[in-house]
Amino acid sequence: MSDFADLPEGWVVWSDQDDGRVVLAYRPDVFDADEYPAACLPTLYLTHGRRSRRPGVNPGDQNAKRDWHVTLYLEPEVHLRETNRFPTREEAVECTLDLAERFVAGQIDFREIYQVPRERYLDALEELTDGGGGGDGD
């Protein structure tokens, strides 16, 4: 059974690699490149290896059991500024699921992430989540 069989509403597994890397996408039915640029699809990345490596370069099996990272992206250069680094994949999976849940519950203030916000896009995210205001869910 997949670690991501029971995702919070709106999240789907976009990519699930044999080496443990996973990409989750939020509401690809809404953020489908017709209404918003393709880069605006909210994504969660579970990756391993050095964060400074070039895209497309697999870190190899020697790193498969350490140095796991979880990153929430709203766009390629716009991501949640949390340090989510873990020694095991299991801990990283737990963080990925927690971030997905927090996102859907409106507990991540995605407007704070932007320096130059896309108001229409952010309004749509707020409509689809429970407010997006970064509150504590009360």
Side-chain angles (χ1 to χ4, degrees):
M1 179 178 214
S2 170
D3 293 319
F4 299 98
D6 192 24
L7 289 170
E9 186 176 343
W11 287 99
V12 297
V13 176
W14 197 257
S15 173
D16 190 356
Q17 302 295 315
D18 291 339
D19 64 1
R21 295 177 293 160
V22 174
V23 178
L24 304 180
Y26 182 71
R27 295 295 307 266
D29 60 318
V30 173
F31 302 104
D32 62 0
D34 288 335
E35 291 283 324
Y36 304 93
C40 286
L41 178 65
T43 52
L44 270 164
Y45 281 77
L46 173 84
T47 58
H48 64 87
R50 293 178 301 133
R51 300 299 296 155
S52 61
R53 74 176 193 274
R54 294 175 308 170
V57 177
N58 190 336
D61 292 340
Q62 70 274 14
N63 291 326
K65 295 189 187 308
R66 62 182 170 156
D67 204 23
W68 289 90
H69 301 268
V70 179
T71 309
L72 171 64
Y73 288 96
L74 297 179
E75 295 185 39
E77 299 300 322
V78 180
H79 60 90
L80 185 62
R81 303 278 184 207
E82 286 186 3
T83 301
N84 294 311
R85 180 179 180 184
F86 304 94
T88 67
R89 185 176 184 280
E90 291 76 22
E91 291 171 283
V93 166
E94 186 176 316
C95 176
T96 304
L97 293 170
D98 178 64
L99 271 175
E101 186 64 44
R102 287 174 42 211
F103 186 86
V104 169
Q107 296 175 351
I108 294 177
D109 188 356
F110 37 77
R111 289 183 181 272
E112 279 295 313
I113 299 171
Y114 275 85
Q115 291 181 2
V116 179
R118 296 176 184 259
E119 291 301 326
R120 193 169 74 88
Y121 168 61
L122 296 173
D123 290 345
L125 282 176
E126 282 185 348
E127 288 176 22
L128 293 168
T129 65
D130 285 339
D136 57 13
D138 291 337

